Amino acid sequence: MTDSVKLNAAGKDLDLKVLSGSVGPDVIDIRKLYAQTGMFTYDPGFTSTASCDSAITYIDGDEGVLLHRGYPIGQLAEKSSFMEVCHLLLNGELPTKDELDKFSYTISRHTMLHEQLATFYRGFRRDAHPMAIMCGVVGALSAFYQDSADITDPQQRMIASHRLIAKMPTIAAMAYKYSIGQPFMSPKNNLSYTGNFLQMTFGVPAEEYVVNPVVEKAMDRIFILHADHEQNASTSTVRLAGSSGANPFACIAAGIACLWGPAHGGANEAALNMLREIGTVDRIPEYIARAKDKNDPFRLMGFGHRVYKNYDPRATVMQQTVREVLGELGVTDPVFDVAIALEEMALSDPYFIEKKLFPNVDFYSGVILSAIGFPTTMFTALFALARTVGWVAQWNEMISDPEQKIGRPRQLYTGPTQRDFVPLADRK
Ligand code: CMC
């Protein structure tokens, strides 16, 4: 470990301080660089930039490690519940039994939506993508819950966080119900967080919905696997939006918008569509060849990651969960055989080996979600539901930091230099 690094820039010798975290790469502190040299650093896509310090989630992409507050994701997925993980991410520690009961009770008290929001849904087309509805409805929460909008008050921040975690299943389930023309189902607080979500999604008023415990467990695990992931694109979006002091619900709506893209949360939908399009194992080589062809924009969806240059630890758990769910539901989906064979072929292909491209969390999640009964368009909405806790935990951490500043990157300007205005009549 070094204390500083030397840089000769603009004719000056600088000693730039090196900062160390509790684990992981050190960072070079360049905060004074512009003041001292008149130069910026250049890092489009932030491939070498740490945008903040954080004590929530740690990833070692080379080793395939993901820790939340120090706990490995595999242990959390196997041994805890999504509510425990929410408490862990938000408050820093796993809850005691009493704390968990209190936390789950608090969340359950916020599951309902303001009745007027049901009218808001009716403004959307029936065929609207659930992510379009999620962006709109979550943004609209800012107009309904104004008593938790003072971000300088830690208690109001926590109430806004609880509201968001609690209301997302209701919002996502309503988006689904609206798309299929069924009545909205009210939350039932005697069910678990995840059981209630399944009830609101698949239940109908005419019948008592019975939660299948295997499906409930699998869904809860999927939520755990998506709960947080360090400074990814949507989390960075939430932080950037929040850094201006914006309303918390609006910040989360910004995160949802970012998550929607196929390079990020939209990949689960794209991955299943791709597997269905491939259809049979014999067609895989054709798609692998396309993914390798630089003149073809096609990529293997659910493959590759900015940080993981090893197997995504979430994909390992996801693959086990597929087997459990398909077994329980008695579903034989040929798409799972295609996924297994595609993974095997890609991982023995020099292109994927050299570029260190492995299956990510989105590769198998679609197979499970489809077996449970979700249409592909709902997949990213489920990701948003689960990631909400990560977003609010990261947002809270940022706002609580006394040194927090508005996020304001600079640029390398390549446009025209100053020139005089030409009146319309004189323009050629
Ligand atoms: N199929 C084929 N080639 C790929 C793929 C892929 N899925 N991913 C990356 N590559 C190639 C890419 O063409 C590039 O090649 P070259 O060096 O010759 O130009 C090299 O690998 C590095 O890729 P990159 O795009 O520079 O890497 P990145 O870190 O900017 O992108 C990624 C990461 C996740 C956007 C990308 O791997 C990708 O588009 N994957 C498919 C979409 C996907 O599954 N996204 C979900 C990510 S995990 C869930 C989440 O966090 O949201």
Side-chain angles (χ1 to χ4, degrees):
M1 197 211 310
T2 44
D3 291 341
S4 66
V5 295
K6 294 198 185 309
L7 178 75
N8 181 281
K12 290 191 183 123
D13 283 324
L14 300 180
D15 255 341
L16 297 171
K17 218 163 133 188
V18 170
L19 308 175
S20 298
S22 46
V23 60
D26 292 342
V27 300
I28 304 168
D29 183 348
I30 55 153
R31 280 175 289 183
K32 301 254 160 54
L33 186 70
Y34 178 66
Q36 292 177 341
T37 65
M39 292 170 96
F40 298 127
T41 54
Y42 179 65
D43 186 19
F46 309 120
T47 52
S48 293
T49 296
S51 61
C52 61
D53 46 42
S54 178
I56 300 175
T57 291
Y58 173 72
I59 302 175
D60 181 335
D62 295 326
E63 296 299 322
V65 170
L66 168 61
L67 311 176
H68 291 320
R69 305 278 191 189
Y71 296 103
I73 190 65
Q75 290 182 22
L76 291 171
E78 191 193 341
K79 297 176 181 169
S80 76
S81 66
F82 183 61
M83 276 296 96
E84 285 176 81
V85 173
C86 286
H87 187 284
L88 175 70
L89 291 169
L90 261 186
N91 304 306
E93 293 298 337
L94 284 169
T96 61
K97 171 83 176 66
D98 279 357
E99 285 167 343
L100 180 61
D101 289 347
K102 193 167 166 237
F103 182 74
S104 304
Y105 177 82
T106 304
I107 295 298
S108 73
R109 296 293 117 175
H110 287 295
T111 48
M112 289 198 299
L113 285 190
H114 191 290
E115 193 53 24
Q116 218 176 320
L117 274 163
T119 320
F120 194 83
Y121 274 80
R122 296 198 163 85
F124 288 99
R125 286 172 56 128
R126 290 275 173 191
D127 63 355
H129 194 286
M131 285 298 275
I133 298 183
M134 300 280 281
C135 287
V137 174
V138 174
L141 296 182
S142 53
F144 285 84
Y145 301 101
Q146 299 175 41
D147 58 340
S148 55
D150 178 0
I151 63 154
T152 61
D153 176 354
Q155 205 186 340
Q156 288 197 37
R157 286 207 301 276
M158 208 35 88
I159 294 171
S161 304
H162 291 159
R163 279 181 167 151
L164 278 156
I165 295 166
K167 291 181 197 307
M168 285 301 264
T170 317
I171 293 170
M174 285 170 75
Y176 174 64
K177 286 298 194 196
Y178 186 72
S179 74
I180 57 170
Q182 284 187 0
F184 297 140
M185 294 292 286
S186 296
K188 282 194 175 157
N189 291 345
N190 59 330
L191 298 175
S192 70
Y193 181 88
T194 304
N196 180 44
F197 171 62
L198 292 169
Q199 179 273 135
M200 289 188 291
T201 306
F202 297 119
V204 286
E207 285 171 19
E208 191 57 33
Y209 180 77
V210 181
V211 180
N212 177 326
V214 175
V215 172
E216 183 183 21
K217 177 84 197 132
M219 202 66 225
D220 203 71
R221 199 181 285 165
I222 291 174
F223 289 163
I224 293 173
L225 294 177
H226 288 89
D228 191 46
H229 212 229
E230 203 228 54
Q231 306 312 318
N232 56 84
S234 57
T235 302
S236 298
T237 300
V238 170
R239 278 187 178 256
L240 195 55
S243 76
S244 71
N247 178 286
F249 301 101
C251 294
I252 301 305
I256 294 172
C258 178
L259 185 76
W260 193 357
H264 192 7
N268 52 15
E269 182 178 345
L272 194 77
N273 288 338
M274 173 192 78
L275 292 170
R276 291 220 188 286
E277 189 184 307
I278 296 174
T280 48
V281 172
D282 58 303
R283 296 189 63 204
I284 294 173
E286 179 197 328
Y287 282 82
I288 291 196
R290 282 188 62 196
K292 290 161 36 177
D293 181 357
K294 285 285 149 222
N295 299 317
D296 187 331
F298 175 77
R299 285 185 167 200
L300 279 193
M301 299 313 285
F303 251 79
H305 199 274
R306 169 61 63 78
V307 184
Y308 293 118
K309 301 302 167 200
N310 200 328
Y311 214 96
D312 180 341
R314 302 169 299 172
T316 316
V317 183
M318 207 60 102
Q319 202 203 66
Q320 290 160 6
T321 312
V322 182
R323 290 183 201 282
E324 282 169 31
V325 171
L326 295 188
E328 165 65 18
L329 299 177
V331 173
T332 43
D333 191 340
V335 104
F336 184 48
D337 302 330
V338 174
I340 295 278
L342 175 58
E343 176 187 335
E344 225 174 85
M345 282 187 217
L347 293 186
S348 57
D349 187 299
Y351 174 94
F352 292 88
I353 296 169
E354 276 156 30
K355 294 188 190 302
K356 299 186 175 162
L357 300 169
F358 292 85
N360 60 49
V361 67
D362 291 323
F363 190 64
Y364 286 106
S365 63
V367 183
I368 309 177
L369 296 173
S370 168
I372 292 175
F374 291 101
T376 46
T377 52
M378 276 298 286
F379 293 179
T380 315
L382 302 179
F383 193 155
L385 183 174
R387 181 55 58 83
T388 295
V389 64
W391 289 330
V392 293
Q394 300 267 353
W395 169 79
N396 258 299
E397 183 182 66
M398 178 190 69
I399 304 283
S400 329
D401 180 352
E403 288 185 28
Q404 186 255 324
K405 282 182 190 301
I406 187 168
R408 177 55 169 96
R410 299 304 300 268
Q411 62 174 8
L412 176 66
Y413 177 68
T414 57
T417 54
Q418 185 169 330
R419 48 186 171 163
D420 286 328
F421 180 80
V422 181
L424 187 55
D426 299 342
R427 278 178 230 159
K428 306 238 163 47

